[in-house]
Amino acid sequence: MFEHLRGVGQQAHYLAGSALQVGASGLAKQCRALEEASRRLSEQALQLRSANSELRGIFDHATAGIVILQSRRVLRCNRKVEEIFGYPPGALLNQSTRLWYGSEAEYETAGQLIEHQLDQTGPHVREQEMRRRDGSRFWARLTNARIDIPEFPNAIIGIIEDVTTEHRNAEELRRLAEVEV
């Protein structure tokens, strides 16, 4: 009887050893697969950091103001927006765009116009007189479009250009044309 048990024990030991060898082999394959996946993720992370740095450079050094808005509040803006409106770095973050309008009526009218056009035809482009921090007025070309950013649903990207000089030149041409007539 003990002979039989010893034989069963040896078989069990052999089967367990074989299972461990197969398990170790499978584990080694899984480790290699995990190492490869980790390497690919590291490469992708590097590519994302590089792309993010490139886009940050474009955003920060653009010659036009770029702002991301949600519910008419500034989520992000580049330094050019702050310069156009006369604010120090970081002062516009989380602020309402109401600061940029001369009156509540202008603010409300602009909001209705933008929402209507974005809902109907897509990007909204207009020129409007705006207000700087010091209260002075200037002409701005505003281009707004909805953007899909997971962290900021229903956001709007705005491009702001100071076109005061263009408006002055056009006014001067009109004045000169009237004088010649």
Side-chain angles (χ1 to χ4, degrees), residues 68 73-78 82 88-96:
I68 298 175
R73 290 201 159 293
V74 176
L75 298 175
R76 291 188 184 137
C77 68
N78 67 355
E82 295 164 333
L92 288 173
L93 295 180
N94 297 314
Q95 294 295 318
S96 169

Side-chain angles (χ1 to χ4, degrees), residues 116-124:
H116 176 73
Q117 189 161 357
L118 289 176
D119 289 341
Q120 299 297 315
T121 60
H124 169 78

Side-chain angles (χ1 to χ4, degrees), residues 3 12 84 95 153 169 172:
E3 292 285 323
I84 289 171
Q95 294 295 318
N169 291 343
E172 183 64 21

Side-chain angles (χ1 to χ4, degrees), residues 161-180:
E161 301 168 88
D162 184 340
V163 293
T164 304
T165 302
E166 290 177 32
H167 275 260
R168 280 190 198 132
N169 291 343
E171 185 59 36
E172 183 64 21
L173 286 173
R174 276 192 292 276
R175 191 185 66 72
L176 290 172
E178 289 174 2
V179 171
E180 290 180 7

Side-chain angles (χ1 to χ4, degrees), residues 54-65:
E54 180 180 331
L55 291 174
R56 173 58 63 190
I58 293 167
F59 186 79
D60 289 342
H61 297 95
T63 58

